[in-house]
Amino acid sequence: LLTIANNKPGEEMMNKITKKDNGIKNSISKLFILRDSCVGTSITQKDNPNIIWFEGAAILLEEGVDQLRSAKNKMDSGGTDASKDFSLSVKDAVSKLIVLKNSCRGDSSLDESDENTNWFAGAESIICEAIDQLQKALQETVTQAVVTAAPKAADDSGDNDSVEAEKQAAAG
């Protein structure tokens, strides 16, 4: 009874899952807002020399948000290969975000307004935060998979030992 009341590993696992879930939701929210900002900028600044960048960024961000939502739904469903599917979707979204982050530095040969220069700096910062959160969620998913697989592997070895013992008892 005392062991059940002090079951900290279960609490720790739930806290990690909640933390990962909150990180994914936070990343989705940030990217969704950034996507809307790109769409708004492309509508209001039709003469902007980087209009194509804003339109392309909006598309990449939309794809990233869709991938992250799909990944989260897969993890929430707990189906077979959910962890693997989650990892693949998040890795793909992170790859797109890294490309987008690197392109935020813009073309220094263009005369950008102070507003756009600040926008690019802010966008780069938001994308970096989202990438960090997503990479932490990936790491936690890998750690969870290892922790979950470890007891099963231990159980399997115990089963093999008991089978061997039964075979020896039957033979001897």
Side-chain angles (χ1 to χ4, degrees):
L1 185 61
L2 184 58
T3 310
I4 294 171
N6 292 326
N7 191 2
K8 298 291 183 193
E11 287 179 29
E12 289 176 26
M13 181 69 87
M14 290 305 293
N15 287 339
K16 285 183 180 181
I17 291 169
T18 301
K19 191 175 181 179
K20 176 177 68 174
D21 194 49
N22 289 341
I24 298 293
K25 287 178 185 177
N26 193 336
S27 295
I28 290 170
S29 297
K30 287 176 181 177
L31 298 176
F32 196 77
I33 291 168
L34 191 57
R35 188 231 34 194
D36 285 352
S37 180
C38 287
V39 170
T41 300
S42 65
I43 290 171
T44 60
Q45 296 185 19
K46 295 202 181 295
D47 60 340
N48 185 327
N50 285 328
I51 194 71
I52 293 172
W53 186 93
F54 286 104
E55 291 170 350
I59 292 168
L60 278 177
L61 289 164
E62 181 69 32
E63 290 173 0
V65 166
D66 289 346
Q67 284 179 309
L68 294 173
R69 283 181 177 165
S70 174
K72 184 178 173 335
N73 289 338
K74 288 175 185 175
M75 283 302 286
D76 290 346
S77 74
T80 58
D81 294 333
S83 182
K84 180 182 174 184
D85 291 343
F86 172 83
S87 293
L88 290 173
S89 294
V90 172
K91 284 178 184 177
D92 190 45
V94 167
S95 295
K96 288 178 183 175
L97 291 174
I98 289 171
V99 168
L100 191 58
K101 176 190 70 118
N102 291 339
S103 71
C104 280
R105 295 184 181 119
D107 185 353
S108 59
S109 66
L110 295 174
D111 275 339
E112 283 293 330
S113 67
D114 286 340
E115 178 184 351
N116 284 344
T117 300
N118 291 336
W119 189 97
F120 281 111
E124 186 175 4
S125 175
I126 289 169
I127 293 169
C128 286
E129 288 174 15
I131 289 169
D132 287 345
Q133 287 175 327
L134 294 171
Q135 289 175 332
K136 285 178 186 173
L138 274 174
Q139 184 60 40
E140 289 169 6
T141 301
V142 169
T143 303
Q144 274 181 293
V146 170
V147 169
T148 304
K152 184 176 181 185
D155 289 344
D156 289 345
S157 66
D159 288 345
N160 289 340
D161 291 344
S162 63
V163 169
E164 278 302 313
E166 288 175 17
K167 286 180 184 178
Q168 288 178 356

